[in-house]
Amino acid sequence: MNRREVAVLLAYAVKLDPRSAPADQGAAAEVLDQWADLLADVAATAEHPGGRHWDASQVVRHHIATSPYPIKPADVSRPWWAFKRDILDRHTDPTPQADPDDPASYRAELLGTRHAVATGAVPATTYRELTGGPAPDVAARIARIGEMPRHLREQLAEHGIGVRRVRFPELAVDCPRTNCRARKGMPCKRPSGAELRSHTHDQRQAAHAAALTPEQAA
């Protein structure tokens, strides 16, 4: 929130609970400075992929209605970070359009997407939305990119970004095995439903090899 939004939020809190009113103009300016600093990274409103809605004013209202203690900026920031963390936990990083051979651009795009999702600038992409498998052009891109370099995965992990490892070019085709039927871009599965991490089924490898053009197979 910017300083004006924080000032409006503070005025709302004072309206609901006069105990939080500053003693004088100097104290009011000091309180506004404190709140503006602590809530600079908190959104006034935001949407959640699960259908919930964030509204800082409603957090203030809930606190005043349920707590015997005067509201503090942390009473707004803590719920926001929990809300934001839940959004990012549900988010599936899309494959960047940047060249994977350009680690700086690739990493910058991933970080930018994460920031946009966290601030509500773009909606989160969830696994639920991808259960049908990626579009054909995305599947082809996955096969072309292959596995992300280890040093890039480590750099992204330092920023709390987990990247799904994609090792196998045969992920570009559906798995024809009867008890698997994994869609394009998705790992093969055991009969129990658990994902295979170390390999893909022989039938899928054969299907991928059969789908290659002479130039690709060369």
Side-chain angles (χ1 to χ4, degrees), residues 59-144:
V59 174
V60 168
R61 183 179 184 279
H62 177 75
H63 177 88
I64 292 175
T66 60
S67 174
Y69 302 104
I71 191 166
K72 306 183 298 296
D75 296 322
V76 180
S77 63
R78 289 196 188 104
W80 162 251
W81 290 111
F83 182 90
K84 177 178 176 179
R85 183 166 56 252
D86 190 51
I87 290 178
L88 292 178
D89 286 345
R90 291 168 177 259
H91 175 65
T92 305
D93 290 309
T95 302
Q97 296 301 307
D99 186 346
D101 293 328
D102 182 351
S105 297
Y106 197 97
R107 175 173 171 272
E109 185 174 338
L110 280 174
L111 291 174
T113 300
R114 274 265 164 150
H115 178 72
V117 169
T119 57
V122 298
T125 302
T126 64
Y127 280 112
R128 182 178 300 172
E129 294 166 350
L130 298 177
T131 51
D137 59 325
V138 176
R141 184 175 180 82
I142 290 173
R144 185 170 68 255

Side-chain angles (χ1 to χ4, degrees), residues 170 173-177 188 196 199-210:
E170 54 267 25
V173 301
D174 295 339
C175 181
R177 183 166 173 149
C188 287
L196 291 175
H199 63 285
T200 57
H201 289 129
D202 294 343
Q203 296 91 328
R204 193 174 198 175
Q205 297 171 23
H208 176 260

